[in-house]
Amino acid sequence: MNFPDNLKYTKDHEWVRVEGNIATIGITEFAQGELGDIVYVDIGTVGESLDKEAVFGTVEAVKTVSDLFMPLGGKVLETNPKIDSNPESINKDPYGDGWMIKVEMSNAGEASSLLSAADYKALVGH
Amino acid sequence: METLTTLKNTALTNKHISLGAKMVPFAGYNMPVSYTGLNEEHLTVRNGVGVFDVSHMGEFRLRGPKALDLIQRVTSNDASKLGDGKVQYSCLPNEKGGIIDDLLVYRYNEGEYYLVVNASNIEKDWNWIEKHNTEGVDMKNVSEVMSLLAVQGPQAMATLQKLTEVDLSKMEYYTFTVDTMAGVEHVIISNTGYTGAGGFEIYVNNDKAEHMWDAIFEAGKEFGIKPIGLGARDTLRLEMGFCLYGNDIDDTTSPLEAGLGWITKFTKVFTNSKSLMEQKEKGVAKKLVGFEMIERGIPRHDYEIADASGNVIGKVTSGTQSPSLQKGIGMGYVKTEFSKADTEIFVKIRDKALKAKVVKVPFLKK
């Protein structure tokens, strides 16, 4: 399983790419595998400022539904416009086309508390 | 101290693991929930052929001159209508108006029947039937020694026909025969299934299960045969509006509320038949209906169903995104006045009430 070294991770199976004060967020390859075929992502929090670990949306797979949690606090700037019509991109390319939201971080320092690829790999046992 | 629950394996568990299946605990068994992905497996069964290991299901053999009498007393359907080699869908009502289990009744001959029950209910069913066995029927629980492979899909017949001399095209729906398949004698070949895709269910002793699995996959190679997990089994049955015990029917739901009036026959006396008959005459207060989402959303077990003013009128019992129809479908109990086809209802999904409409099942029309 692929967990790119240049990303940060959470125990809730999200990944974070930090560029300046903007964080791009999605779910990991492990998470998409556990969920199975993803049908759509319901994110109604664009424009809202949310705390770390707040629910920013939900992901619906055929068999199950799961909440999505903020890996760090900040304002939700936008969602990936392509996943609405193409939710399977989250299964196929979770770190690329399957990204979910961009967040303006309220405290860039929070990113250092996230898991490294090695830590996350150890967590999921792959 | 930590309590460890040991999951049971089927005769094919190692096969599933070697095929890369995602395994989950189900009814005390370690079972494959998917192999390559639910949608792909689902569509394989709808369009080609797939094989499910459903060896966790329970099988009871009932023998003796009073076998039919016992079956008639504990089940709701009229098993006296069965001829040799015929199968019947039925249920075991309890004394409080609910359902102990749903099951298939197989008639070998007038003195020998098989009952096929849900894995999660094997013990409960066995104890119940045994309690009612007052006339010395020879009962045997063969669940642990029997494997069950469901070979389903439009290419199932062509696949299995290569392995047997039995003319499968002559077998009617809900009939079975005992014959040789893939060189194995005394295999039960049953024209039944839980998918609506056509096909057969093959009962074989555990020691021949792996041989049978391999033979079926070899025969089905040209049709792109694939192993199918319990995930797709659930979406396939739901597209047909088939009830799943524990979701749509349980110890508290009446067969009449569940739309199982067609297997509740008052031509005989059975457990709770008197009060079920009264219920039939008076009419039921709630009914199990199928519904399709109009607004985008996926209904799930236990979500509330409301009317247009937001009053709760029922609850979802099963729901999914239909892989064939590409929309949210579900079943649930609603107050009877909301049970007519095309009635607008609302499913509460998280903080929203999303529009849906009652539809006749099956969702997937032939």
Side-chain angles (χ1 to χ4, degrees):
Chain A
M1 229 172 248
N2 177 28
F3 306 114
D5 283 332
N6 60 334
L7 303 179
K8 295 284 195 176
Y9 299 86
T10 72
K11 61 172 175 36
D12 298 314
H13 312 290
E14 279 122 7
W15 59 261
V16 184
R17 179 183 293 117
V18 178
E19 288 154 315
N21 66 334
I22 305 296
T24 304
I25 294 160
I27 63 169
T28 66
E29 186 178 349
F30 175 80
Q32 68 77 22
E34 289 296 302
L35 288 165
D37 296 309
I38 290 166
V39 180
Y40 82 98
V41 180
D42 187 4
I43 300 171
T45 51
V46 174
E48 290 180 28
S49 289
L50 300 172
D51 290 337
K52 180 177 172 162
E53 290 181 2
V55 173
F56 71 83
T58 48
V59 53
E60 293 263 17
V62 177
K63 281 301 285 178
T64 187
V65 55
S66 181
D67 282 334
L68 298 162
F69 300 97
M70 294 288 279
L72 25 74
K75 185 177 174 186
V76 182
L77 297 176
E78 59 171 315
T79 62
N80 179 348
K82 286 185 191 151
I83 55 173
D84 200 47
S85 56
N86 196 15
E88 60 273 19
S89 64
I90 301 165
N91 291 114
K92 286 184 190 143
D93 188 13
Y95 305 113
D97 286 347
W99 68 273
M100 291 181 171
I101 56 170
K102 287 191 195 291
V103 170
E104 185 180 40
M105 291 184 282
S106 46
N107 174 8
E110 265 182 1
S112 61
S113 65
L114 297 169
L115 302 174
S116 69
D119 291 344
Y120 180 70
K121 208 178 266 188
L123 179 80
V124 298
H126 280 274
Chain B
M1 214 176 82
E2 211 176 312
T3 314
L4 290 174
T5 317
T6 314
L7 288 175
K8 289 189 219 173
N9 288 329
T10 75
L12 294 161
T13 299
N14 289 333
K15 183 72 86 183
H16 305 313
I17 293 169
S18 73
L19 286 166
K22 188 194 288 181
M23 305 295 287
V24 296
F26 182 83
Y29 281 82
N30 188 22
M31 298 298 288
V33 67
S34 70
Y35 299 81
T36 52
L38 197 156
N39 278 336
E40 187 192 328
E41 291 167 35
H42 181 108
L43 296 174
T44 295
V45 173
R46 283 275 175 260
N47 303 323
V49 53
V51 184
F52 308 75
D53 174 18
V54 281
S55 303
H56 58 311
M57 302 285 288
E59 296 89 11
F60 305 154
R61 192 193 69 197
L62 273 58
R63 264 186 192 160
K66 294 291 186 182
L68 175 61
D69 184 64
L70 174 58
I71 291 165
Q72 288 288 68
R73 284 185 287 120
V74 295
T75 65
S76 61
N77 207 340
D78 189 349
S80 72
K81 301 279 194 260
L82 282 173
D84 294 353
K86 295 275 197 291
V87 188
Q88 185 180 69
Y89 180 56
S90 194
C91 77
L92 298 173
N94 66 24
E95 284 159 340
K96 294 175 187 140
I99 300 172
I100 295 169
D101 201 3
D102 60 342
L103 74 165
L104 292 181
V105 179
Y106 284 71
R107 173 172 152 142
Y108 271 55
N109 55 56
E110 62 178 335
E112 184 167 352
Y113 291 80
Y114 272 77
L115 308 182
V116 181
V117 304
N118 283 299
S120 51
N121 293 331
I122 291 174
E123 205 182 328
K124 180 174 74 163
D125 295 353
W126 176 265
N127 292 340
W128 178 259
I129 299 167
E130 200 177 41
K131 194 175 108 182
H132 289 81
N133 183 16
T134 49
E135 296 177 305
V137 173
D138 172 22
M139 286 176 58
K140 193 172 179 192
N141 181 355
V142 294
S143 308
E144 299 275 316
V145 298
M146 214 176 239
S147 291
L148 174 53
L149 302 180
V151 185
Q152 300 280 297
Q155 301 292 355
M157 190 185 293
T159 298
L160 295 174
Q161 193 60 73
K162 294 182 184 175
L163 302 174
T164 183
E165 307 265 299
V166 176
D167 186 349
L168 297 176
S169 68
K170 295 263 161 62
M171 284 183 68
E172 283 173 30
Y173 192 46
Y174 269 64
T175 66
F176 73 99
T177 187
V178 183
D179 216 302
T180 301
M181 179 173 272
V184 181
E185 293 180 329
H186 310 300
V187 174
I188 302 171
I189 304 165
S190 174
N191 186 344
T192 49
Y194 195 44
T195 63
F200 292 80
E201 293 182 301
I202 307 299
Y203 297 79
V204 61
N205 281 339
N206 285 350
D207 58 347
K208 300 283 189 235
E210 205 164 316
H211 166 77
M212 186 61 73
W213 175 278
D214 290 340
I216 292 168
F217 275 83
E218 185 58 35
K221 217 180 218 169
E222 62 171 302
F223 308 113
I225 197 166
K226 284 190 183 128
I228 314 294
L230 293 182
R233 185 169 167 83
D234 191 46
T235 52
L236 286 157
R237 69 93 195 169
L238 189 49
E239 283 183 351
M240 299 310 293
F242 296 153
C243 288
L244 172 63
Y245 192 88
N247 275 41
D248 313 302
I249 50 176
D250 61 29
D251 291 300
T252 67
T253 59
S254 132
L256 301 172
E257 292 168 345
L260 299 178
W262 63 282
I263 61 162
T264 308
K265 299 284 169 62
F266 300 108
T267 48
K268 56 163 198 169
V269 174
F270 59 93
T271 313
N272 205 37
S273 57
K274 191 161 166 270
S275 69
L276 285 172
M277 188 140 76
E278 282 166 17
Q279 194 179 69
K280 189 182 178 182
E281 280 159 11
K282 281 204 311 219
V284 292
K286 61 173 182 177
K287 271 189 184 167
L288 184 65
V289 296
F291 60 87
E292 281 177 3
M293 298 306 298
I294 295 170
E295 292 183 284
R296 189 159 83 161
I298 305 177
R300 310 276 183 193
H301 184 69
D302 268 353
Y303 284 3
E304 283 180 337
I305 302 173
D307 65 11
S309 328
N311 303 306
V312 175
I313 55 162
K315 217 174 216 187
V316 176
T317 53
S318 287
T320 190
Q321 169 85 356
S322 160
S324 303
L325 302 169
Q326 293 289 312
K327 59 180 156 190
I329 60 169
M331 297 204 291
Y333 286 93
V334 294
K335 290 183 178 171
T336 302
E337 59 263 40
F338 293 93
S339 63
K340 273 214 181 77
D342 293 329
T343 305
E344 199 171 271
I345 57 172
F346 294 82
V347 181
K348 290 191 172 175
I349 300 181
R350 293 181 285 283
D351 52 348
K352 294 175 208 138
L354 299 177
K355 201 186 280 183
K357 68 168 182 188
V358 174
V359 296
K360 282 217 170 80
V361 295
F363 296 97
L364 192 66
K365 315 290 183 209
K366 292 255 160 153

